């Protein structure tokens, strides 16, 4: 590819590497103006500071662009794909092109969040590769982010650019492999772990343990309730799909309370936790609900079975 | 009159078409709950008082919908005292407007 952007192919997923505010604007403003000129539907998920920058630079053109705060939409990165799915389904079939900007990774992301943001970037290829054509530009701040994050962006995006030249990413893992690059075991928690094996009759006691542990860890009651509800749903999945029993571990770290449910089941659909449940009353809703209630969910299907971690940040 | 009781839940009836669920429903007892309600269903709409239901999972809601679907054309479950926690769950999973459920005293799910 060259400086001109093709928009006839399917899902165009491009990592845009930039340096500083000037580099950010140099890469995003022409992209947005091109979309405005073509009358496309445009949605931007960015930090509020960057939204302010874009608005002021775009002037009147900003009225043709929809903005939303990535800190809110992407607080849990698993909620970003459903937001893009909503955008695409709102505008598809209307004859207008579609484009977006989404920057899910910034330097304050914790290690757990970062890996799930990277998983999210890869899963975008699974979610959109066979659907409507649209163009998603993902800015990466090369001054703030470590080199391995920039390298992974090359693997999760079909295209890379520096804001001027656009190229195929030679390291792109491809849409087919984008669903399962993260089946490495999660890091072992440091510090004491409370654990128990459970079957259906233990759910009641398990909820009490999780609630107590969460409140002892100074989670406010509403968040403790959210965690209990989410853990119960994931544990219920173990009972129904994971062999009728499971294993709970719970621990706290300085910034969060974490619960882990493991069982002998296998999850085949990499988007299982981020597909908005449809009208069918029988459709599974547990993992979707967990993602709406918790700050971060990590799902891994390993040779030994499935592991789901649920994290809740402790108030600062 | 108590229709059902286990270590975490009691179902009582306060009239022919009015049931009260007190306690917690989960995968362990949800089948017993729907069986009990199905056995005592009168003709017409049914009223469920959930104000003392301190926990119910997604499967519980699904079971109540199936129960309502089995009641026949046009019959509904009138829910009284929907706990805020359950309201939040209904909203998050896209079940704010289940056709068979009616919420008493102007308390829609969302």
């Amino acid at each position: 590819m060259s400086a001109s952007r093709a928009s006839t192919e399917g899902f165009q997923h491009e990592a845009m590497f930039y340096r500083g505010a000037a580099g950010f604007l140099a890469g995003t403003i022409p992209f947005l103006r091109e979309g405005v000129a073509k009358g496309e539907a445009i949605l931007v998920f960015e930090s509020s500071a960057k939204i302010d920058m874009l608005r002021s630079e775009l002037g009147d053109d900003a009225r043709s662009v929809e903005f939303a705060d990535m800190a809110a939409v992407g607080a849990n990165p698993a909620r970003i794909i459903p937001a893009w799915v909503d955008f695409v389904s709102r505008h598809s079939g209307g004859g207008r092109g579609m484009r977006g900007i989404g920057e899910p990774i910034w330097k304050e992301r914790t290690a757990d969040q970062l890996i799930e943001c990277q998983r999210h970037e890869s899963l975008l290829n699974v979610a959109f590769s066979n659907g409507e054509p649209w163009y998603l530009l993902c800015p990466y701040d090369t001054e703030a982010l470590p080199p391995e994050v920039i390298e992974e962006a090359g693997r999760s995006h079909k295209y890379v650019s520096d804001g001027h030249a656009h190229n195929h990413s030679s390291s792109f893992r491809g849409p087919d492999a984008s669903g399962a690059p993260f089946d490495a075991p999660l890091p072992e928690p440091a510090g004491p772990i409370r654990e128990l094996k459970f079957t259906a009759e233990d759910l009641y006691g398990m909820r009490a343990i999780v609630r107590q542990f969460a409140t002892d860890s100074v989670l406010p009651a509403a968040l403790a309730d959210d965690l209990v509800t989410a853990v119960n749903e994931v544990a219920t999945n173990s009972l129904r799909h994971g062999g009728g029993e499971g294993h709970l571990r719970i621990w706290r770290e300085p910034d969060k309370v974490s619960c882990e449910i493991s069982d002998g089941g296998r999850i085949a659909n990499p988007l299982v936790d981020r597909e908005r449940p449809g009208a069918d009353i029988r459709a599974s809703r547990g993992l979707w609900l967990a993602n709406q209630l918790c700050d971060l969910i990590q799902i891994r299907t390993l040779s030994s079975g499935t592991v789901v971690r649920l994290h809740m940040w402790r108030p600062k | 009159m108590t229709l059902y009781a286990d270590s975490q839940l009691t179902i009582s009836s306060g009239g022919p078409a009015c049931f009260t669920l007190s306690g917690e429903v989960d995968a362990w007892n949800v089948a017993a709950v729907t069986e009990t309600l199905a056995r005592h269903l009168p003709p017409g709409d049914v009223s469920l008082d959930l104000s003392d239901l301190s926990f119910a999972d997604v499967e519980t809601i699904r079971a109540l919908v199936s129960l309502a679907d089995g009641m026949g054309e046009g019959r509904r479950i009138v829910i009284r005292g929907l706990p805020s926690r359950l309201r939040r769950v209904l909203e998050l999973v896209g079940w704010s407007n289940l056709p068979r459920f009616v919420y008493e005293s102007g308390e829609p799910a969302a």
Side-chain angles (χ1 to χ4, degrees):
Chain A
M1 293 222 301
S2 68
S4 104
R5 296 171 158 101
S7 53
T8 47
E9 63 177 300
F11 176 48
Q12 221 174 322
H13 192 200
E14 180 173 310
M16 191 275 283
F17 302 122
Y18 71 91
R19 285 170 160 276
F24 173 77
L25 290 173
T28 51
I29 291 294
F31 174 81
L32 292 172
R33 287 207 197 280
E34 184 182 75
V36 172
K38 288 180 171 175
E40 294 185 349
I42 309 172
L43 175 58
V44 174
F45 291 139
E46 273 293 356
S47 66
S48 54
K50 288 211 179 81
I51 290 174
D52 289 345
M53 269 165 54
L54 290 171
R55 276 190 201 279
S56 105
E57 194 73 18
L58 283 171
D60 283 352
D61 281 345
R63 285 195 297 239
S64 311
V65 181
E66 199 184 333
F67 296 94
D69 186 357
M70 185 56 116
V73 178
N76 175 346
R79 297 181 203 147
I80 306 172
I81 285 181
W84 284 125
V85 168
D86 290 347
F87 168 71
V88 169
S89 67
R90 248 187 305 139
H91 296 284
S92 66
R96 291 168 80 195
M98 295 173 276
R99 67 178 62 201
I101 293 177
E103 185 169 358
I105 298 179
W106 50 87
K107 70 171 191 299
E108 292 80 9
R109 288 286 206 190
T110 65
D112 293 331
Q113 283 182 319
L114 173 63
I115 193 145
E116 293 312 306
C117 285
Q118 292 175 321
R119 180 165 165 73
H120 153 75
E121 285 278 43
S122 226
L123 288 177
L124 280 161
N125 304 312
V126 182
F128 294 108
S129 281
N130 296 315
E132 289 276 322
W134 69 288
Y135 196 153
L136 176 59
L137 190 73
C138 306
Y140 278 79
D141 184 346
T142 55
E143 279 181 345
L145 299 171
E148 56 273 19
V149 172
I150 304 303
E151 281 163 32
E152 172 55 28
R155 290 188 283 273
S156 57
H157 293 76
K158 190 173 179 183
Y159 300 103
V160 287
S161 81
D162 59 3
H164 302 285
H166 310 268
N167 294 297
H168 276 270
S169 172
S170 54
S171 56
F172 180 48
R173 58 171 62 90
D176 293 342
S178 287
F182 297 93
D183 46 10
L186 295 163
E188 258 315 281
I193 300 172
R194 173 120 193 230
E195 57 191 311
L196 71 124
K197 286 193 157 57
F198 62 88
T199 60
E201 62 184 337
D202 304 310
L203 289 174
Y204 179 86
M206 201 172 96
R207 290 194 295 274
I209 288 169
V210 172
R211 183 174 285 109
Q212 189 63 52
F213 193 92
T215 356
D216 289 349
S217 313
V218 297
L219 277 195
L223 293 186
D225 275 345
D226 283 350
L227 183 62
V228 167
T229 300
V231 166
N232 185 83
E233 290 301 327
V234 175
T236 301
N237 280 351
S238 296
L239 303 176
R240 298 196 188 281
H241 312 293
E245 58 178 15
H247 190 117
L248 169 79
R249 303 201 298 168
I250 178 164
W251 67 95
R252 59 175 72 94
E253 288 173 33
D255 56 337
K256 66 190 176 197
V257 178
S258 304
C259 293
E260 178 189 271
I261 308 267
S262 48
D263 62 46
R266 299 191 69 80
I267 293 176
N269 176 7
L271 296 173
V272 64
D273 61 329
R274 49 202 93 194
E275 288 174 338
R276 189 183 294 282
D280 187 348
I281 194 87
R282 293 162 303 182
S284 171
R285 281 160 163 81
L287 287 172
W288 168 270
L289 179 60
N291 257 329
Q292 311 313 307
L293 295 171
C294 294
D295 290 319
L296 193 72
I297 304 286
Q298 300 185 278
I299 303 174
R300 299 293 183 272
T301 290
L302 311 169
S303 58
S304 52
T306 292
V307 177
V308 180
R309 276 191 192 173
L310 309 94
H311 305 281
M312 221 47 141
W313 311 144
R314 295 161 78 170
K316 294 205 172 78
Chain B
M1 187 174 72
T2 300
L3 304 178
Y4 172 87
D6 64 31
S7 55
Q8 60 189 58
L9 180 82
T10 305
I11 304 177
S12 53
S13 88
C18 181
F19 306 98
T20 300
L21 274 62
S22 311
E24 306 199 1
V25 187
D26 58 26
W28 178 67
N29 61 1
V30 64
V33 171
T34 35
E35 275 162 34
T36 303
L37 292 175
R39 211 166 44 239
H40 293 91
L41 278 185
D45 290 352
V46 173
S47 162
L48 280 189
D49 188 334
L50 303 184
S51 27
D52 289 325
L53 186 64
S54 44
F55 184 85
D57 65 357
V58 166
E59 185 57 32
T60 306
I61 303 160
R62 194 180 278 121
L64 292 177
V65 171
S66 302
L67 182 77
D69 284 343
M71 296 192 325
E73 205 56 38
R75 291 173 59 197
R76 300 167 310 172
I77 293 183
V78 181
I79 290 174
R80 184 183 299 169
L82 181 70
S84 57
R85 173 122 296 268
L86 203 49
R87 179 178 317 183
R88 176 161 156 74
V89 169
L90 285 168
E91 196 182 318
L92 290 174
V93 301
W95 282 345
S96 297
N97 295 300
L98 291 167
R100 294 281 193 158
F101 286 13
V102 184
Y103 300 92
E104 207 173 65
S105 63
E107 43 177 351

